[in-house]
Amino acid sequence: MLIETFADVICPWCYIGKHRLTRALRERPRLAPEVRWQAFQLNPDMPAGGMERSQYLANKFGGAERARQINTVIEETAERDGLPINLHRIRRTPNTFQAHRVIRMGNRRGIGGAVADALFHAYFVDGLDIGDRDTLAACGATAGLDFQEVKTALAGDAEVIGVQAADSLARQLGLQAVPCYIFNRRYALSGAQEPTSFLPLLDLAVSEGTDAAAE
């Protein structure tokens, strides 16, 4: 089974959603799906160096008070799910194009999910700037990539075309928000759904795969 996750590493609902998908998969221990990260940039026009976090939130949500209300909902949801989150530590909202490149490097070695986890932790728990090249290389190294290899790759054009193609595909599919999970390129589930919401699609994808193999 193939599960394609369209998501962005600065999206708190993607952070929560990834955790919930993992919990759902634990309910189906016999499954061994390929969970493939697909790049989606929430802010494709973000300056390369990112921008100051409070200004970004005020612009996005129409004011500081509304941003605080939304952050409270996010924090409460993460707490209920047992996920650490420290939004107050985040000082800059980065451009995530380079982060998606590192995840694709991980995908090629079967550790894309681990790279995404390292980036989520760096951003939402430690409040680090995951647009910074050294921070990206450190996250890659945490997941199993080579630190210097990641830095060298980011200095070139490795995975640039792949990230652009994935983001373009998402928009061609009509995705305007993430996370979105696509099962066997046939069924989609959008949003940070509860773990139980994944189970029917997991079962359906397995059933159809079994039926096709029997034909």
Side-chain angles (χ1 to χ4, degrees), residues 21-144:
L21 173 58
T22 299
R23 286 169 55 193
L25 290 172
R26 290 188 188 129
E27 296 294 318
R28 298 293 185 267
R30 293 187 178 183
L31 296 183
E34 177 188 355
V35 182
R36 185 183 303 166
W37 183 278
Q38 295 284 21
F40 182 92
Q41 284 190 276
L42 283 174
N43 307 297
D45 298 322
M46 175 69 70
M51 66 184 299
E52 200 273 329
R53 176 71 170 174
S54 61
Q55 185 60 53
Y56 167 77
L57 291 176
N59 292 346
K60 183 177 179 66
F61 298 116
E65 180 56 34
R66 179 59 178 158
R68 279 193 291 271
Q69 293 171 358
I70 291 172
N71 279 348
T72 297
V73 172
I74 292 167
E75 290 166 340
E76 291 174 349
T77 303
E79 183 178 2
R80 284 197 301 271
D81 279 36
L83 274 178
I85 194 165
N86 297 305
L87 298 179
H88 63 281
R89 292 184 179 178
I90 301 172
R91 293 291 177 262
R92 292 193 69 75
T93 297
N95 182 303
T96 57
F97 190 87
Q98 307 306 324
H100 286 298
R101 292 175 66 195
V102 180
I103 294 172
R104 285 185 64 87
M105 293 176 208
N107 281 346
R108 293 190 180 278
R109 301 189 186 180
I111 57 172
V115 175
D117 282 336
L119 289 163
F120 278 134
H121 191 278
Y123 189 64
F124 287 112
V125 180
D126 297 332
L128 299 179
D129 179 1
I130 57 172
D132 174 77
R133 194 172 292 173
D134 285 335
T135 300
L136 289 170
C139 288
T142 296

Side-chain angles (χ1 to χ4, degrees), residues 3 6-7 46 64 81 104 117-118 125 150 161 169 174 206:
I3 304 174
F6 286 86
M46 175 69 70
D81 279 36
R104 285 185 64 87
D117 282 336
V125 180
V150 173
I161 292 176
L169 173 61
V206 169

